[in-house]
């Protein structure tokens, strides 16, 4: 299994600091946030980590350069999450950890690997419950037990099949890259990872795992403050 960390986003919700500092490099104590995600990937057993960056985010490269088993690829155009992941194409199972999603208080990725094993190596998507009024910000699951029947990217409240949302972590077979290559733009005119997974469901089983930790979206100042609070709590324990 290899890990892919998409970190190519422009950070527009976190300007002006993101003009020079990628949001993923903002500190959580003495470590950049991204290093906590790299640690999570390693703890889950990833033997190589591919970080997807874009022009102007070379600070990420500079920081991690020289660390074993990490390499970088560029996303040259902002065409969506699915497109970003495709730039990192690998021929192995892909553990995808979004670079602006910290999971505090558990090791979501490691637990997802266990869940996958329990389901004979099937795809697993890390999820959280969200308030009904916020479903339009997320990929939302339609489930039969914990098996994913369908999923829809950022539905309107009245169209959402549940309140179980994709929460920044995915464990997918290498076959996902085939679907991404033929994926047409969806919500927001972007190539959505959700849409490619959705097509994959007709041929392969996938399961939702509501992980116990709390996801913190560090892509905006409020989420970043919340992440700092959460980690300070852990350090004090
Ligand atoms: C992405 C995914 C979405 C997911 C969300 C949080 O959206 O497209 O399905 O629920 O991350 O993990 P974004 O926040 O990049 O718009």
């Amino acid at each position: 299994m290899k890990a892919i960390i998409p970190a190519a986003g422009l950070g527009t919700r976190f300007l002006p600091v993101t003009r020079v500092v990628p949001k993923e490099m903002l500190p959580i104590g003495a470590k950049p946030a991204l290093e906590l995600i790299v640690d999570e990937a390693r703890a889950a057993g990833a033997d190589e980590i591919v970080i997807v960056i874009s022009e102007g985010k070379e600070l990420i490269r500079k920081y991690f350069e020289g660390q074993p088993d990490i390499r970088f690829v560029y996303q040259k155009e902002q065409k969506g999450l699915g497109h970003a992941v495709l730039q990192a194409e690998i021929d192995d199972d892909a553990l995808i950890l979004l670079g602006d999603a910290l999971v505090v208080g558990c090791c979501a990725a490691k637990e997802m690997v266990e869940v996958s094993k329990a389901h004979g190596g099937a795809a697993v998507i890390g999820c959280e419950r969200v308030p009904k009024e916020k479903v339009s910000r997320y990929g939302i699951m339609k489930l039969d037990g914990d098996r994913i029947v369908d999923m829809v990217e950022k539905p309107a409240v009245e169209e959402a099949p549940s309140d179980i949302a994709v929460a920044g972590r995915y464990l997918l077979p290498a076959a996902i890259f085939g679907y991404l290559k033929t994926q047409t733009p969806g919500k927001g005119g972007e190539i959505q990872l959700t849409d490619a997974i959705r097509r994959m469901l007709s041929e392969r089983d996938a399961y939702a795992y509501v992980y116990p930790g709390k996801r913190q979206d560090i892509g905006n100042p409020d989420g970043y403050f919340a992440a700092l609070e959460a980690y300070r709590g852990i350090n004090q324990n």
Side-chain angles (χ1 to χ4, degrees), residues 51-69:
I51 303 180
V52 186
I53 58 173
S54 53
E55 204 182 322
K57 299 187 84 170
E58 280 72 26
L59 197 63
I60 295 178
R61 190 175 192 146
K62 192 173 176 196
Y63 182 85
F64 287 99
E65 219 151 43
Q67 288 201 19
D69 308 320

Side-chain angles (χ1 to χ4, degrees), residues 99-114:
D100 58 5
L102 290 176
V103 180
V104 185
C106 96
C107 34
K110 189 169 188 215
E111 295 187 358
M112 286 166 57
V113 170
E114 295 304 319

Side-chain angles (χ1 to χ4, degrees), residues 115 119 123 141-149 206-210:
V115 172
H119 285 294
M141 299 289 173
K142 181 175 182 184
L143 298 175
D144 174 13
D146 61 348
R147 194 175 63 83
I148 303 168
V149 176
Y207 294 86
Y209 174 60
V210 179

Side-chain angles (χ1 to χ4, degrees), residues 81 98 137-139 153-154 165-168 170 192 194 215:
L81 178 60
L98 302 193
R137 300 182 190 179
Y138 300 97
E153 181 68 12
K154 302 193 174 83
V166 178
Y170 311 74
Q192 299 289 352
T194 297
R215 182 184 60 96

Side-chain angles (χ1 to χ4, degrees), residues 177-208:
F177 297 102
Y179 294 96
L180 284 171
K181 280 176 191 163
T182 55
Q183 187 57 53
T184 51
K187 197 87 188 180
E190 297 188 338
I191 297 177
Q192 299 289 352
L193 182 56
T194 297
D195 293 341
I197 298 170
R198 183 166 189 256
R199 286 166 55 226
M200 193 181 75
L201 292 176
S202 60
E203 286 167 32
R204 288 166 187 262
D205 281 350
Y207 294 86

Side-chain angles (χ1 to χ4, degrees), residues 1-3 36-47 49 95-97 107-114 117 169-171:
M1 180 187 75
K2 296 180 171 52
L36 301 177
I37 298 177
V38 166
D39 290 348
E40 185 186 336
R42 287 198 169 118
D47 49 30
I49 297 169
L95 173 66
I96 301 167
L97 308 94
C107 34
K110 189 169 188 215
E111 295 187 358
M112 286 166 57
V113 170
E114 295 304 319
K117 276 186 194 152
R169 299 289 183 272
Y170 311 74
L171 178 54

